[in-house]
Amino acid sequence: LILVFLWGVPSLVEPLYGKDLPTSGAGVRISAEQEEEISLILAEASIQNIEKWIRTSGTIDPETGVVKGRVLGKEKQLIREGQKVHIYPLIARQPVLQGRVVRTFQDGNELIVETDLQPKLYEGVQLYIMEIVVNFGRHLSVPNEAIIEEKGRRVIYVQEEEHLYAPKNILSGIRGELYTQILEGPKLGEKVVTFGSFFIDAHYKLHYMNEHKSSSDKEGAFAH
């Protein structure tokens, strides 16, 4: 109901997406029943490996029997020998086979990536998906699903105390497959909302929209 109300009245909600929306010292309370109903999930801001997976198609090399692929664009600059590779055929996602990049070389605008994996489990299969794992190291991070992007900024919701959640602007760095690096924002160990963040964001905006309306009513009555 909250979501329908908010997105159904854009003229009322729009001012709350601006830079003047409070992002410190303010929060909104969610009842235990609401938390259970939306299956609210929290995660800690923590030190995590940030990985990017470069996906491309792979084929069997007829001479060696191993899987190799081709990579275009800026992503090819990130590929190095020794990186892990996840490989699976188009016909099934499981099991995912694990390999390594053993050789790379340029072929025109493409980078040829050779692996050490001979996928005998999938005898007769020629086409594969390759996920080349680029590891950017360990950084203070939050799960990607905790981040809400709007109007050129990124916001997360931090648990201030039980059932109380407050928005916080963040300055982010590298975005990986699962985690995003945090340059400014939550501290190590702070709990952030992952699943359920959009519900809390809507609830927060509705709360401050009503508060702003009440203040305007008071000011109007006083002026009158």
Side-chain angles (χ1 to χ4, degrees):
L1 178 61
I2 291 172
L3 294 174
V4 172
F5 176 76
L6 283 173
W7 273 267
V9 192
S11 61
L12 294 178
V13 178
E14 184 65 24
L16 295 178
Y17 283 78
K19 296 182 178 180
D20 294 333
L21 182 65
T23 52
S24 63
V28 64
R29 289 194 176 275
I30 305 295
S31 69
E33 291 76 13
Q34 288 174 316
E35 290 179 351
E36 183 176 357
E37 186 174 353
I38 65 173
S39 301
L40 185 73
I41 297 177
L42 301 176
E44 289 188 355
S46 57
I47 306 297
Q48 298 287 344
N49 267 327
I50 297 184
E51 296 180 342
K52 178 180 176 64
W53 298 351
I54 299 175
R55 294 178 175 85
T56 187
S57 60
T59 57
I60 296 290
D61 187 319
E63 296 182 1
T64 63
V66 301
V67 177
K68 69 177 183 179
R70 295 171 179 267
V71 179
L72 289 165
K74 295 180 180 180
E75 290 184 329
K76 63 186 180 183
Q77 301 173 7
L78 300 174
I79 297 176
R80 303 285 186 274
E81 293 181 5
Q83 290 171 330
K84 292 190 298 184
V85 185
H86 306 149
I87 298 175
Y88 53 92
L90 295 175
I91 59 174
R93 183 67 171 82
Q94 295 291 341
V96 176
L97 308 176
Q98 303 282 348
R100 295 273 178 181
V101 175
V102 294
R103 189 165 79 102
T104 65
F105 60 92
Q106 200 74 25
D107 182 17
N109 293 329
E110 300 177 332
L111 183 71
I112 307 300
V113 180
E114 294 185 348
T115 73
D116 60 0
L117 186 62
Q118 294 182 327
K120 297 179 180 179
L121 178 64
Y122 295 105
E123 198 68 40
V125 177
Q126 295 297 317
L127 298 177
Y128 293 84
I129 299 296
M130 296 172 56
E131 296 174 342
I132 304 165
V133 180
V134 180
N135 193 327
F136 292 98
R138 295 173 63 79
H139 303 276
L140 177 63
S141 311
V142 298
N144 292 343
E145 58 267 27
I147 300 173
I148 298 173
E149 299 190 32
E150 56 182 38
K151 295 292 184 180
R153 67 173 187 164
R154 293 180 174 179
V155 177
I156 61 172
Y157 278 83
V158 176
Q159 186 184 49
E160 298 288 342
E161 57 185 61
E162 191 173 16
H163 309 307
L164 178 63
Y165 304 93
K168 181 175 287 190
N169 282 329
I170 65 168
L171 178 61
S172 59
I174 304 165
R175 181 181 174 88
E177 290 294 317
L178 303 176
Y179 296 94
T180 294
Q181 179 189 15
I182 298 299
L183 302 176
E184 292 181 13
K187 297 180 176 60
L188 182 65
E190 277 194 292
K191 292 183 178 180
V192 302
V193 180
T194 57
F195 190 83
S197 59
F198 284 98
F199 174 86
I200 291 180
D201 185 55
H203 204 70
Y204 176 78
K205 289 181 172 71
L206 179 61
H207 173 75
Y208 278 94
M209 182 173 65
N210 288 336
E211 186 177 85
H212 176 76
K213 182 180 178 181
S214 298
S215 298
S216 298
D217 289 344
K218 289 178 181 178
E219 290 173 4
F222 179 79
H224 177 71

